[in-house]
Each structure stands twice: as C-alpha cells, then as structure tokens.
Amino acid sequence: MGAPRSGARDASSCDGRNTLLLKPILVGALLASTTIVPAMAQADTDITVVLSEELDLVEPCMATRSNIGRVILQNISETLTELDVRGDKGLMPRLAESWEDKGDGTWQFKLRQGVKFSDGTDFDAADVKHSFDRVFSDQITCESKRYFADTALTFNVVDDHTIDIKAEPAQPVLPLLMSLVTIVPSETPMEFVRDPIGTGPYKLTDWTAGQQIVLDRRDDYWGVQPEVTKATYVFRSEPAVRAAMVEAGEADIAPQITAEVATNPATDFSYLNSETVYLRIDNQDAPANDIRVRKAMNAAIDREAFIGTVLPEGTELAVAMVPPTTLGWNPDLSPPAYDPEQAKTWLEEAKADGVDTSLPIEIIARTENFPNVTEVAEALTQMLTDVGFNATLRMVEVAEHEQYYSKPYPESEGTRLVLAQHDNSRGDPVFSMFFKYDSDGTQSGVNDPKVDDLIARASAATGDDRAALWSELFKYVHDDIVADVLLFHMVGLSRVGERLDFTPTIATNQQLQLSEIGFK
Amino acid sequence: MADISIAKPAAETARGPNLLSMLWRDKLAFVSAVVLLLIVLFAIFGPTFLGDLATKQNLRGRNFPPFSFERGWEFFLGGDSLGRPMLARMIVAAHSTILIAAGTVLSAMIVGAGLGLVAGYMGKTTSQVIMRLADVIMSFPSLLIAVVVLYVLGPSIPNMILVLAITRIPIYLRTTRAEVLEVRERMFVQAATVMGASHARIILRHILPVVAPTLVTIATLDFAFVMLAESSLSFLGIGVQPPDITWGLMVAQGRPYLSTAWWLAFWPGLMIVITALSLNLLSNWMRVALDPAQRWRLEARKTKNV
Amino acid sequence: MTKMIGQRAIASLLSLLGLMVLVFFLSRLTGDPAVLFLPIDATEEMKQQFRALHGLDLPLIEQFARYVWDLLHFDFGESLRKARPAIDVVLEAYAWTLPLALITMGLVITTAIVLGSLAAFNVGGFFDRLVSIVSLVGASAPDFWIAIVAIVVFSIGLGWVPTSGVGTPLHWVLPIAVLFIRPFGLVVQVVRGSMLSALSAPFVKTARAKGVKNLPLIFVHTLRNGMLPVITVIGDQAAALLNGAVIVETIFGFPGVGKLMIDSILQRDFNVVLAAIMVTAVAIFIMNILIDIAYGLLDPRIRH
C-alpha cells in the first residue's frame, strides 16, 4: 500500500490524494482476511526474525541506526570495507578489494568487478562517489555524515573500478570509516527511498508498514550464495512475546530479549554487545569538581553485586568507554574497588577542605534505556546514599534525558549524574573519546588540556602509536582524573530457533548478516 | 417521583445505628468496608512506619520467594527485584496509589459534574460550548497530555493527578448533563421553578440528589480505571517513576518477571483488584441502602433472614 | 434532526480547529525532534539541517500558518521520521484500529446489556453477585498482565492461537478478548445500576404490583429508561478504543493507531501526532453526534 510517494507534498495532488485516503483502509481490510501468517507457510530455508521495534525507514544511508542496520547492512546494501567484529581479521574487503595510503591524506580504493545492483545496473566508482554525495547532501539528513564531522572528503574517479578519496585533515582510519557508508546506485534520488537498491545478497520485496519487511535472496549476487532464501522481519516490542514467538515456532531469531525470559540454554545466547554503561559526571560542577568526591562515588558502588542479579551473567566491569575488543584498550586498568569506608573517608576529607558534600546529587536515568535500567538506577542511588551522598533518582523519557546528557547542561543546585549507555562496535575509540571526554565533546564532562591533546594526537596517529596513545588516554581518564563512574560492558541476549545454525555475537547489536545463518 | 425529596429527611434521622446493622447483615459489603478501612489506614500510616523498611535494598537477596517467614514477616509475600520486602512496599505504595486515584476521581468528578450541571441546566449556547469543550478533551489523547505535563512540569504526584483528571472529566460531564436534561423536565423540578426557587437551589436541592447515585457508581468504577491507567502510563514509561511507588508502578515493573518471579506483579495487581472490588461492592450496597425507594430490598431480606 | 446534525457538524468543526491549535502548540513544547531523529553524536550542523528541511527552524507562528495552509489543501504534512505523508501513515493504522474497536464494542454492548439487566432483575442474588465480581475482577486486572499471561497460556501452553501479529482471524482472538474485559466490566456495572434505578420507577412498580407477568415488556421499557447513562459510558469506552488500544497493540504487535500514537509522541513526530489526533477526533465527534441522536430517540423530552 505504501507507494513510494515520499516528498510528494505539492498542493496539486488533491485528486490523487482522495484515492490515497481510501486505499489503505480497503487494503487493510483485505489484508485482515487474506494474508497468511508468514511463519506458517514457509520453505525450510525461509526464516522469520522478530525485531524489537518497527523500522521508520529502510534507507541505506541510515544503516548505522541499529534497528535499520540489522535489516539492511550487508544484506541489502554493502560497504566498501567491513570490520570483522567477531574474529580478529580486522578490516576486511567487501566492495573494495584493496586500498592503499597514497600519502597526503589520499587513499586509493580498488573496487570489486562484476558486481551488480539488484536493479541490474553495474557497480562502479561513480556509484561510490554518488553514495557519498548523498551522505553529504543538504537535501537529506543521513546518519553516517556524523563520522566525517570535521573532515572534508574529495573524490577522484580514476577509472570505473578505482577511486581516490582525499581527506582533509588526513584521516588515518579512513578505510575503517568506509565500513560505515553503504553504497547505492548513482540513480538514487537525494531523498529517503522506500525501495532501497543495493549490491547485497538480498533484495527488499515487500514492506508493509506496521507489519513486515521481506527480503528475498538474489540469484545474481557477486559473492557466495547464502543458505537463507527469504527473511521476513516482524516487530514486537515486548521481550516476552519475542521469546514466545521463537518458542512457538512463529519466528526463528529474536534479538534483544531480556535475562528474565532467556531461560532456555538450548536457544538463548548471551554475548557482549558493545554497549557500555556509565555515570557521566560534570567535572566542573560542585561538589563533583573535587577529585575526592569523584573517587568516593566510584568506591561507593558495589559493581559486582549487579552482575547475575539485575544484569545478566556475563556482564563485564568497564574500565573504559569502549569494549575490550577496541584498539588501544588498556588491560592494565582495573575497576575501582568497592570500599564504602574509603568512600566515606574521601568525602570527609573533601568536606574538611570546604567542599559542600551535602549538595544534592541527582541521578538522571532514561526509562527503557536497557533492560532493568530502573533497578540499576535505584540501586546506584541507594549505594551513593549509603556512603553519605545526598542522592536522588529521576527517571525521564528519552527526549528529556537527551537534554541532560548533551551540552549545554541545565543548571542545577548540586550536580547531576547522567546514567547513559554508549555503543562502540566500530573497533576504534575515535568514535567515542572526542564526544565523551574532549572539552568540546557534546556529552563530555571533562575540561582538561591533557585529555584534549591526547585525543587530538591519537586521532591523527596510525599503527602502534595510535594504540599506545589511546591506552595512555584510557589510563589518564580512569586513574588520574577519575572523570566518570564507568560501570559495565553490557551483555545482549538473543533467542535462536533450534533449526538454525547461528551464534549471535557482538556484531548482532548493529547488524544481522543473513549470510552467516545456516541450518542444522 | 416527588417521594424522593420528601422521604429523605425522614430517613436521615434513623440512619446511624440502623445503617451499621444493615451493613453487618450484608456480609460481602461488610467485608468490603473493613478492607477499605484497612487500605486507608495503610495509605495514611504506611510511609511513616514502614518507609525505611520498604526501601532497604539487598541485591544479592533479590526475588525472594513468598510464603516463608525465614526472613521475617515483611518477606512473607516475597522480595522484589532489588531485594526489598514486597509486603512493606505494598503497604507504603498504598499511600501514593490512593492519593492519585482519589485525587483524580474527586477532581474530575467535581469539575465534570459542575460543568455538566451548568451545561444541562443553562441555555443551549452555554451547553454547546461546554459540550464541544468536552469533545476536545475526549479526543485529546491522555498519552500526549502525559508527555506534555511530564516534559514541561516534571513527574510528580500532583502532576500525575492533573494528567489523569483531565482525561476523566468528560465522562462525568456527559453523564451529569444527560441526567440533568432528563431530570429538569420532571414534575417536581418544574414545580420548584414555577414556585420561584433560585437556580442554585434547584440544582443543589432537586437535581443533584437525583444525579448523584449515577455519579457515585461511575466514580467507584473509575477508581479502578484510574489505578490501571496510571499503571499503563508507567508501563509506557511516562507515568509515576521511582523512587515514588504505586501499585500500578509495581505491576508495571514486575512485568518482565512474570515467568520467573510472578509475585512481583501479582500482589500489587491483586491489591488493585481487591480495592476496586471492595469499593464497588460497598457502593452497590450503599446505592440501595441510601435510596429510600430501593431500601425495601435490604429490609425485605432482613425479615427473611431473621 | 437534520438541522441538529448540521449544527453539530459545524460546532464539531470548531472543536476540531480548537483541538488542532491546542495540539500543535502543546506538542511543540515537548522538545526538539532533531535530537531524537539523529544519533547522539550528530553535529549541530546536522541538527540544523534536519530542522531546516522540516521547517522546524521557522518562528512557531510561521510554522503554524504553513501547517494550516497545507491543511486547507488536505495536506497533513510529512512524517518527520518515516519520510512519507503523515495522513497515509495514520489511515493505514486506522484501518486496523477501526475494525478492532467496532468488533470489541459490539461484543461489549450485547453481552453487557444482557448480563447487566439479568443481574439487576436478580439483585442481591447469586447470579447478580457472580456477574458483579467476575466483571469487576476482570475490569480491574492490569491489561498487560492479562495479555502476557494469555499468550503464555493460550499460545504457548495450549497452542490454540498465534502469539501476536495480524493476518488470520485467529490472530484477532487474543487482542479482542483482552480488550473486551475492561469496558465489559464497566458497562455491565452501569447497566445494572441504571436498571436498578429504572426498576424502582413508579410505573414499573405499579406494573409489577398489578402482577404483570409480561417480563419482556417490563424489560424493554425499563431498559429504555435506564439507557441514558449506559450510552454515555459506552461512548466513553468507545472513545478510548478509537484512541487506539496502546497496551494491547504494543504487546500483540497489532499495527493500530494506539501504538502509532505513543511512538510518534515519544519521537516527537508532530505531523503524525496531529494527523492521528484529528482523524481520531473526527471519529469521536461522529460517535458523539450518534450518541446525542440516541439520547433524543430514547427520551423525546431531550430533543430540542
């Protein structure tokens, strides 16, 4: 029913609109009586995936939004490079066969030959250029644009299958950034499309808003034919229902279920999901501007007590904003010990030096941020209160949370600690550290020249230097200035039907490559 | 019809002891009254006496199963997901629950009935304006009101009452107006008008008493509805938020544990059901007991039973 | 009658206008859609671009003028999140909500009137108590609790019906059953109460005293007199259903207007919120006109 009419808002379409008003009702009524349940009439190699929220868009340039990425990324649309998140192969070729640093900020990419889009056209360098033009267009707001915030890219099509990309200033991780931009054909308009065309092994064959999205396997895919012939995506927001659907055989994969319903070891998998939970402290705000107060906050929290109780088994204690699989992650750091007596002592010392430790500390947490967020926030509040902080909890919905989380921070009598969850599965800290710790970072609570300097140098460095600089930064932030209260690397849980041969991993948070799914 | 207003004063004199013994005779209504009294006592004294107990967390002792005195009486109904005693929490939660439900129902009833009386009694234009206003409120989704109020004013119990009360006004308004339109035409009201009684007097002395029973029925039903609406808002993340607790919030928070720790959502849900049931049984009884035209039913049963 | 409907239609149009103004400005008090549409680390420039593309950077009053102008051309604007006309999104959802509401309300009205009246005739008796308690327990049990337990029992345990979604008529069974419970409980109580009042009216008493054995006659006459508050409550409940059954839709993955409404409100998709509210309002206004006509038919004195 959803004809691709996006952008049609001209006043002259009055006549067309009347039929448009009636059509959905008729179609809806028809569907109500005729459509067959997808799960009940499928071939052995057809699968149904039940996602937690409906997709607003199926737009390739929005594929970095996780719910869109799970459907599109590497299924419909592919990228030039691909990060091996589950293994240690690092950055792998996808649509680009190889790349090399030409110096002066320019990288040359050799593109794969003989690749066809699902509309039959050939893939070439012009498509790559157009895909980036779309991302940078002022006609649409593409998510992937944010990765190139301070970088100007110029494209030079050398031949059909060679393209030079010059970044100013030089961007050492440019090939990595190429794993975040999906390639669309040159004919794609500068507006959100509803019928995405890509080079991937699947093509979109049905999108019935509110109900389902169907991908069918292509016969003319350049790579290895995946086993799954058809994937139907449906949407249920209740974790118990998603789990129930797999149990009842109505679906085959249910990502993002909760620990409470994940009770069947045969079907339920847990894996680190690249999300990190922490309390953001505004280091400029009294009383948190005193390092002893920040240390006391860290020592007040019994992190171990959360794991296996309100958070699933397998959750890890965080010592950095990024998961351990990330470049430069520092293995020498250890989480602050739970020591309420020490916390009280630090608070006493600060108080003796004139810090007003009785100022109110408001913990801001977001409803539905992650499973059991309310319990986590309540427990954190209690632990802070126990060592003598004047802590209160305020649960807010997403829009309000954003106000407290991003600059400019609203005024407060004491200070606010923002409970937040940050996702970095991209393999490099550059996607996290500037935003969370630089003086100009939008969610940063830190204003420290040394931090700014380290971030700037690490971002520009390559190879071992880069890893060493990030390591140094992690240590400085965690041990020396105690910038925040890092808490947990979170675990994701998915239920996978027993007929499938598929193990969800850290990558499942951002994408769900159908080609990785086999049958037993 | 006229007998209603005449019979009333006569009934009043004999009401006190008679009413209590009548209540004692109707066992279901009596139990309801006792339960409600208990809940009100919980609501008033709960936070003072059990406030600390209800917030004492124990992460490693969470989801303690019910029906065991091993950890003291307060854990008889089990512990919640943060290891806090369910029984104590439910008693403390009665405070905010009853405050919100009663506050909402009362304010919606007063505003709604007031506007409804005016709309039904006054001329056509006033009536039209008020009724169209009710249409606007009726089609204004409570979810949007909730988000607007929470975003602009912040989450708090008075704001919650505001959100819920706005959405409940139309039902009282429309009911009152419909009844007034009918009562207004009755003989005794017409008579009073002819005799030169003032508008206020007619409305308060003649119309309100006839309309009141229906309003009370709706209000008692609404009480449960409001507790559940508040729970639904919590379910959607735009209702009462911790550290405040209400039964509705407890039910919403216990939802993920339905299969592993049923008691988290079950007990507070049961409290909502019990409160609603008691309130309605009592109000059904009162409707009959306080209506001289219907009291014979109870009297008749009395002679039969004795 | 025609005149009355005409007047009501005009008055309702005014209400609709008032509603639109109210929703337009109130919803815009709730924050910036750009920060919700874009990821948290989006640049200020991207946010600005998003606002400019959707006219959100204009002065509020100009945004309003544009909206009204487009509305006059039956253009409800574009969904900020879905990049398609807001009205299409809403009508698609309504095509699911409307049958759900109608079927549920139909079932509620028939069963509640029959059972409520029978209870009133048998006041204080076993059947009366049974109906009261069962309906009250049902009406005051939290619906998401019932919904999830129903899925566990009937879909997983017994395998009678699918867990969720739409498609076959079987898919509708659980959502309708869960939705039915609360309005049924309320309406049955009000029917019972009104019937009790009506039964004690002089003409019924007289008829009973005279030994009229024609119970159906009494039933019909009493029902007619007791119907006014019943209709009001039915209207209230129907309005709630027309607003979409948020919880039931959320749990059963039913693509109705309730789920759309909550998602759009939380995501600040203003155009969809406005379109959804206005379409709902039209449905509710039509229903209210029907109710007032019903009042007039039942009690000729009310007719103006």
Side-chain angles (χ1 to χ4, degrees), chain A residues 126-140:
Chain A
D127 297 318
V128 175
K129 183 173 187 312
H130 181 74
S131 301
F132 278 89
D133 286 348
R134 256 184 117 232
V135 167
F136 294 116
S137 162
D138 56 2
Q139 301 302 303
I140 49 176

Side-chain angles (χ1 to χ4, degrees), chain A residues 54-55 207-212 235-236, chain C residues 82 92 166 253-255:
Chain A
E54 205 201 329
L55 277 66
W207 177 12
T208 312
Q211 293 177 57
Q212 61 174 21
F235 321 103
R236 305 286 185 268
Chain C
K82 297 176 194 287
E92 268 169 25
V166 285
F254 195 93

Side-chain angles (χ1 to χ4, degrees), chain B residues 145-163:
Chain B
I145 301 180
V147 170
V148 171
V149 168
L150 293 187
Y151 193 86
V152 179
L153 302 176
S156 73
I157 285 172
N159 289 345
M160 214 57 229
I161 295 179
L162 178 69
V163 170

Side-chain angles (χ1 to χ4, degrees), chain A residues 1-2 6-7 9 11 14 17 20-21 24-25 28 31-32 35 37 56-57 62 65 137-143 145-146 149 192 194 209-211 235-238 241 244-245 247 250 397-399 402 405-406 435 443, chain C residues 30 35-43 45-46 49-50 53 70 73-75 77-78 81-85 87-88 91-92 95-96 148 151 156 162-169 171-172 250-253 255 259 266 268:
Chain A
M1 62 189 86
S6 54
R9 43 179 309 162
C14 253
R17 193 155 299 268
L20 218 99
L21 294 185
I25 295 188
L31 275 174
T35 318
V37 207
D56 288 325
L57 301 161
M62 298 297 275
R65 195 190 278 178
S137 162
D138 56 2
Q139 301 302 303
I140 49 176
T141 37
C142 287
E143 267 210 27
K145 191 177 183 175
R146 68 189 146 127
F192 288 144
R194 293 183 58 77
Q211 293 177 57
F235 321 103
R236 305 286 185 268
S237 42
E238 187 62 31
V241 175
M245 285 182 75
E247 192 174 342
E250 290 173 38
E397 51 111 22
V398 53
E402 171 72 32
Y405 191 26
S406 294
F435 295 107
Q443 288 91 39
Chain C
T30 59
V35 298
L36 291 174
F37 181 84
L38 293 165
I40 190 109
D41 44 6
T43 59
E45 182 218 335
M46 286 169 73
Q49 182 192 346
F50 180 85
L53 276 175
D70 285 346
H73 299 84
F74 297 100
D75 182 353
E78 187 118 322
R81 296 189 67 88
K82 297 176 194 287
R84 44 193 300 238
I87 192 71
D88 289 8
L91 288 179
E92 268 169 25
W96 293 102
I148 294 175
I151 290 176
I156 300 184
T163 54
S164 53
V166 285
T168 63
H171 280 101
W172 291 62
T250 305
I251 290 179
F252 290 104
K259 177 92 174 81
L266 290 178
R268 314 294 191 255

Side-chain angles (χ1 to χ4, degrees), chain C residues 282-303:
Chain C
V282 169
I284 290 175
F285 292 166
I286 291 175
M287 189 190 69
N288 280 346
I289 293 178
L290 291 178
I291 286 176
D292 282 356
I293 292 174
Y295 281 158
L297 290 178
L298 284 170
D299 192 339
R301 286 174 302 181
I302 292 175
R303 224 174 278 166

Side-chain angles (χ1 to χ4, degrees), chain B residues 27-208:
Chain B
K27 291 293 177 287
L28 221 60
F30 180 75
V31 172
S32 305
V34 172
V35 168
L36 286 177
L37 197 67
L38 258 177
I39 290 172
V40 170
L41 288 177
F42 287 167
I44 296 172
F45 298 109
T48 325
F49 290 106
L50 297 172
D52 290 338
L53 195 60
T55 50
K56 202 165 167 288
Q57 297 178 5
N58 175 6
L59 269 181
R60 292 183 173 92
R62 70 197 291 261
N63 294 351
F64 185 75
F67 309 125
S68 138
F69 282 110
E70 201 182 302
R71 289 174 61 186
W73 65 269
E74 69 266 33
F75 279 97
F76 184 66
L77 297 183
D80 77 351
S81 56
L82 287 173
R84 297 168 295 198
M86 286 298 291
L87 184 57
R89 280 183 76 71
M90 293 215 311
I91 293 175
V92 172
H95 178 76
S96 302
T97 311
I98 301 299
L99 198 65
I100 291 177
T104 303
V105 170
L106 279 180
S107 40
M109 187 162 74
I110 291 169
V111 175
L115 287 173
L117 283 171
V118 175
Y121 192 78
M122 293 299 177
K124 226 181 127 193
T125 326
T126 325
S127 168
Q128 276 287 332
V129 170
I130 294 179
M131 293 315 289
R132 288 327 115 224
L133 200 69
D135 279 356
V136 172
I137 299 174
M138 215 163 163
S139 39
F140 199 102
S142 51
L143 300 173
L144 182 60
I145 301 180
V147 170
V148 171
V149 168
L150 293 187
Y151 193 86
V152 179
L153 302 176
S156 73
I157 285 172
N159 289 345
M160 214 57 229
I161 295 179
L162 178 69
V163 170
L164 292 164
I166 291 176
T167 56
R168 299 314 299 158
I169 288 175
I171 178 75
Y172 296 100
L173 203 169
R174 293 188 73 90
T175 312
T176 313
R177 174 176 166 269
E179 293 245 329
V180 170
L181 285 179
E182 193 247 352
V183 174
R184 189 172 73 164
E185 307 298 327
R186 288 197 197 165
M187 203 73 87
F188 66 95
V189 178
Q190 303 265 345
T193 320
V194 172
M195 285 161 70
S198 71
H199 288 320
R201 191 182 161 79
I202 290 178
I203 289 180
L204 292 179
R205 295 287 297 181
H206 298 285
I207 296 184
L208 197 57

Side-chain angles (χ1 to χ4, degrees), chain A residues 216-266:
Chain A
D216 272 305
R217 191 172 73 185
R218 284 172 60 190
D219 297 326
D220 52 349
Y221 179 57
W222 60 267
V224 183
Q225 278 276 330
E227 284 185 58
V228 173
T229 43
K230 178 177 173 180
T232 304
Y233 296 88
V234 295
F235 321 103
R236 305 286 185 268
S237 42
E238 187 62 31
V241 175
R242 290 200 292 279
M245 285 182 75
V246 177
E247 192 174 342
E250 290 173 38
D252 299 292
I253 302 180
Q256 292 178 305
I257 57 173
T258 56
E260 285 72 32
V261 298
T263 47
N264 182 357

